[in-house]
């Protein structure tokens, strides 16, 4: 669906997430680039860190189309609850080609924008009214607004407990960020944590990862099941050398 069909959505998308591109285009561009860096379906394992929400699932399908079966790192809001143990497991599953292993990770927070430009609103099949995305972040924001934040660990709600503890230090005391701001803070946390874990695995002489790529951003759900990605960062490691990728050149 073209953004021209929904001008209110297109306006808010451009204002809040300038440079967002269709989700499939984002994945295809990354695959073309990595193909020139020695990454292929036969020698690469892809990991995908997205929210558990079913509307986030299409990006996983797109990744599997090009890279084959993925290692899921999904959690509420896309936060890195899999941790070092999860990434270590993924690393151990990477195929070996000429003594090298290649890993690519896609890590996304997510948010919806309705056809009328309403931030956080998404129409789901079979539901009479629009619901929230990201629902976990919207719930956390409601707790902040109500001043009733519970920071204890709920063993029946571990991921949301972690969400509160991980994101609260990023919020200025006494303020309540908008859903867009909170989503961007979440994207910051996802990148920081995944980057740190991935680097530790590569720097560890016992780790099997040799070459790696990391793409982060925000998945934006639009009208008519359309999906976009706001590219946030790209990193590439080849032979021990890390490079920060030029996103404008890669996805422009």
């Amino acid at each position: 669906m073209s953004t021209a069909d929904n001008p209110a959505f297109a306006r808010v998308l451009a204002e809040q997430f300038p440079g967002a591109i269709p989700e499939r285009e984002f994945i295809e561009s990354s695959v073309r680039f990595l193909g020139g860096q020695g990454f292929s379906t036969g020698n690469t394992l892809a990991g995908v860190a997205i929210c558990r929400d079913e509307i986030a699932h299409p990006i996983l399908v797109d990744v599997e189309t090009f890279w084959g079966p993925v290692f899921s790192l999904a959690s509420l809001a896309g936060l890195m609850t899999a941790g070092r143990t999860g990434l270590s497991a993924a690393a151990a599953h990477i195929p070996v080609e000429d003594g090298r292993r290649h890993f690519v990770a896609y890590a996304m927070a997510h948010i919806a924008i309705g056809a009328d430009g309403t931030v956080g609103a998404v129409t789901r099949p079979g539901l009479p009214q629009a619901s929230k995305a990201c629902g976990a972040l919207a719930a956390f924001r409601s707790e902040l607004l109500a001043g009733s934040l519970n920071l204890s660990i709920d063993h029946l709600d571990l991921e949301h407990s972690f969400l509160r503890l991980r994101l609260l230090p990023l919020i200025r005391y006494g303020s309540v960020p908008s859903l867009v701001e909170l989503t961007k803070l979440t994207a910051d946390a996802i990148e920081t944590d995944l980057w740190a874990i991935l680097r530790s695995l590569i720097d560890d002489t016992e780790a099997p990862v040799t070459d790696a790529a990391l793409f982060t951003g925000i998945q934006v759900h639009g009208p008519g099941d359309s999906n976009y990605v706001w590219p946030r960062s790209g990193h590439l490691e080849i032979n021990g050398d890390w490079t920060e990728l030029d996103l404008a050149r890669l996805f422009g």
Side-chain angles (χ1 to χ4, degrees):
M1 177 177 291
S2 170
T3 54
D5 298 328
N6 296 280
F9 164 79
R11 174 181 55 79
V12 175
L13 180 68
E15 288 174 353
Q16 302 294 341
F17 304 102
I21 59 176
E23 191 170 84
R24 181 86 173 196
E25 181 181 327
F26 172 80
I27 300 300
E28 289 177 343
S29 295
S30 71
V31 170
R32 283 195 300 269
F33 169 75
L34 291 178
Q37 305 298 320
F39 290 69
S40 70
T41 303
N43 69 14
T44 302
L45 177 67
V48 179
I50 53 174
C51 185
R52 295 185 182 280
D53 193 329
E54 72 278 359
I55 62 173
H57 189 72
I59 195 168
L60 189 148
V61 174
D62 285 342
V63 172
E64 284 194 326
T65 297
F66 294 101
W67 293 118
V70 307
F71 191 99
S72 175
L73 301 168
S75 69
L76 289 182
L79 288 166
M80 282 305 302
T81 57
R84 183 179 170 85
T85 297
L87 264 292
S88 295
H93 302 170
I94 301 172
V96 181
E97 181 180 80
D98 297 327
R100 304 194 68 79
R101 297 177 186 242
H102 299 75
F103 181 68
V104 55
Y106 298 90
M108 304 279 152
H110 81 133
I111 194 170
I113 301 174
D116 62 354
T118 301
V119 172
V122 60
T123 302
R124 301 173 190 268
L127 294 181
Q129 296 178 335
S131 58
K132 294 287 187 179
C134 172
L137 292 183
F140 175 56
R141 185 171 183 271
S142 294
E143 293 171 352
L144 291 172
L145 286 169
S148 60
L149 201 60
N150 183 355
L151 296 180
S152 63
I153 301 296
D154 182 350
H155 290 87
L156 298 181
D157 200 9
L158 285 173
E159 286 189 357
H160 199 67
S161 297
F162 174 78
L163 183 153
R164 296 186 189 101
L165 293 170
R166 181 64 184 90
L167 297 182
L168 188 60
L170 306 180
I171 299 170
R172 184 170 57 85
Y173 181 78
S175 68
V176 177
S178 69
L179 188 58
V180 169
E181 292 167 339
L182 188 55
T183 304
K184 291 179 179 180
L185 287 176
T186 302
D188 289 344
I190 292 169
E191 178 184 6
T192 297
D193 294 349
L194 182 53
W195 171 255
I197 297 168
L198 192 56
R199 284 301 304 270
S200 72
L201 290 179
I202 291 172
D203 293 340
D204 186 343
T205 56
E206 298 299 321
V209 179
T210 51
D211 299 335
L214 169 62
F215 297 99
T216 71
I218 293 177
Q219 187 183 27
V220 183
H221 312 291
D225 297 324
S226 60
N227 287 291
Y228 298 81
V229 168
W230 185 51
R232 186 182 181 281
S233 70
H235 302 277
L236 177 68
E237 187 273 344
I238 300 289
N239 295 322
D241 295 325
W242 278 99
T243 302
E244 187 170 351
L245 301 177
D246 183 344
L247 298 187
R249 182 177 179 183
L250 185 59
F251 299 115

